[in-house]
């Protein structure tokens, strides 16, 4: 049995959004056993916390740690930020549930987001996968969403068509089963095939299933650029018809042509909240996003999967159309100078890592859009990029919304986006302490109790007697990201200690 821990004299931001107070906190049996101005308890490990802040553990609403859990269960890039709970299965792309016939296709589809395993996926249902997580005793707690694209693939492959009534029933049944097994909801990835092939009616049918379980739907909308508003309104319609609770993933206006449009969505959310709808969003505090290079190519070109994409590239007529669409998308994202290569498969393209696409295209002696299609073909679309295409003023305005919470959207690779290692300290250090964008008690609520509420995680998210001892002790004067786009794999400063269910899982000074 673990020795009780007594945290003395901490300044407690309890997650409720109210002003802080100074108190002692006793941890025993994995829970917060007692809170008081002065707590006396014999036989404890004492942690002197005067001058430091104690808060609930941070909850990351959007991660891609599905396979990192098995590679290194310490998950220092996660726990080192103060994160004690992560949400898996985002962007319509979960690693489960899947059937035998499509497991290899799924693994290839998932590789850009979460890498590969050293053996084929050895789970099939949501419950199977969550059990496998528990067997490795990871440092962080995990809850999951069911990826719509994954379920769709299991039922009908990567076909770009409307499901038959029987297929739609199968999709809904699998989601129903997964919700019964503990899934917190469903994710849609409306720019990622095969999730992107769904029409609105399919989304509504699925959301009705989720709503029956009081689950949540998290969605990467169809477009975060020129059709940002229309894509948002599609999901508003789905929410209204189905009755589901909705979270818009990583809300932003992407591409210089679209900066400022996201502010219209904030106004619309105010209106919808006033009408009684539970619609919220998350955000990472950076002016660059990160995802696969394949999003630059048109989604229709991937219908049927990766092999069909390759066939279309070798059809002169289709290639011309793919190239035209790719060139338009690349321009909207800021052209090659805004696209930085983060991760490539081992082999001939490793020299590209860390370089921007304009320099790569020049070295290849290719037009930028031609270079994109060349790289996608040769790597089977297994390339991750960082897209420098978000406006700082937008980031701060979005952060000030009462419906905001923080996510990493962290993809770990060779030269990953720095958000995978330092999002929460950057939020607290740069935006809260240095820039004063929002008050600290509001910021803490937005990364603790509010995401717990959205996910219906009633055992955590507050510093309250009887709740799980998922706690972060940090030095507010020092907390900050220490990494960069050039050197992303560095742990932040100022996260002193992190407990998960009463067990110390991280203390400052640990190294990757």
């Amino acid at each position: 049995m673990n020795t009780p821990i007594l945290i003395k004299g901490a300044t407690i931001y309890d997650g409720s959004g109210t002003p802080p107070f100074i108190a002692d906190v006793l941890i025993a049996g994995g829970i917060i056993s007692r809170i008081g101005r002065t707590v006396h308890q014999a036989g404890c490990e004492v942690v002197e916390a005067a001058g430091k802040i104690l808060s609930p553990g941070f909850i990351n609403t959007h991660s891609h740690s599905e396979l990192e859990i098995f590679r290194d269960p310490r998950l220092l890039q996660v726990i080192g930020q103060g994160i004690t709970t992560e949400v898996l299965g985002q962007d319509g792309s979960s690693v489960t549930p899947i059937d035998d016939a499509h497991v290899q296709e799924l693994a290839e589809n998932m590789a850009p987001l979460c890498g590969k395993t050293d053996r084929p996926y050895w789970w099939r249902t949501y419950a199977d996968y969550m059990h496998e997580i528990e067997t490795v005793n990871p440092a962080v707690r995990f809850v999951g969403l069911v990826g719509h694209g994954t379920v769709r693939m299991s039922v009908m492959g990567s076909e770009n068509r409307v499901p038959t009534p029987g297929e739609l029933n199968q999709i809904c049944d699998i989601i129903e089963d997964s919700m019964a097994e503990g899934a917190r909801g469903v994710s849609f990835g409306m720019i990622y095939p095969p999730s992107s092939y769904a029409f609105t009616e399919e989304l509504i049918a699925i959301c009705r299933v989720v709503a029956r379980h009081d689950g949540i739907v998290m969605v990467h909308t169809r477009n975060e650029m020129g059709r940002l508003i229309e894509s948002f309104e599609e999901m508003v319609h789905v929410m209204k018809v189905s009755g589901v609770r909705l979270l818009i993933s990583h809300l932003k206006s992407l591409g210089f042509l679209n900066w400022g449009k996201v502010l219209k969505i904030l106004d619309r959310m105010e209106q919808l909240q006033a009408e009684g709808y539970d619609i919220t969003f998350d955000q990472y505090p950076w002016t660059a996003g990160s995802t696969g290079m394949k999003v630059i190519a048109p989604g229709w070109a991937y219908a049927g999967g990766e092999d069909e994409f390759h066939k279309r590239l070798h059809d002169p007529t289709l290639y011309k159309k793919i190239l035209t669409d790719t060139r338009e998308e690349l321009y909207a994202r800021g052209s090659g100078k805004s696209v930085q290569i983060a991760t490539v498969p081992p082999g001939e393209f490793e020299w590209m890592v860390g370089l921007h696409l304009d320099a790569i295209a020049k070295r290849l002696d290719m037009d930028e859009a031609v270079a994109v299609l060349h790289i996608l073909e040769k790597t089977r679309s297994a390339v991750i990029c960082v897209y420098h295409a978000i406006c700082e003023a937008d980031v701060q305005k979005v952060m000030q919304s009462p419906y905001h919470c923080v996510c990493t959207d962290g993809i770990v690779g060779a030269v990953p986006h720095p958000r995978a290692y330092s999002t929460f300290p950057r939020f607290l250090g740069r935006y809260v302490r240095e820039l004063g964008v929002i008050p600290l008690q509001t910021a803490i609520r937005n990364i603790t109790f509010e995401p717990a509420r959205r996910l219906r995680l009633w055992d955590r998210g507050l510093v309250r007697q009887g709740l799980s001892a998922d706690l972060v002790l940090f030095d507010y004067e020092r907390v900050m990201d220490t990494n960069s786009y050039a050197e992303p794999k560095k742990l932040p400063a100022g996260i002193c200690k992190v407990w998960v269910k009463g067990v110390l899982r991280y203390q400052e000074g640990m190294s990757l």
Side-chain angles (χ1 to χ4, degrees), residues 207-208 210-212 215 237-245 277:
C207 286
R208 283 180 170 141
V210 178
R212 287 200 297 271
H237 173 69
V238 169
M239 174 187 68
K240 286 185 172 183
V241 174
S242 68
V244 81
R245 296 184 297 114
Y277 295 102

Side-chain angles (χ1 to χ4, degrees), residues 308-316 318-319 322 373-374 376-377:
E308 293 302 313
F309 174 66
H310 283 240
K311 289 178 184 177
R312 293 183 182 99
L313 290 179
H314 290 274
D315 180 311
L318 289 176
Y319 179 85
I322 293 170
L373 296 182
H374 172 73
L376 289 174
E377 180 181 15

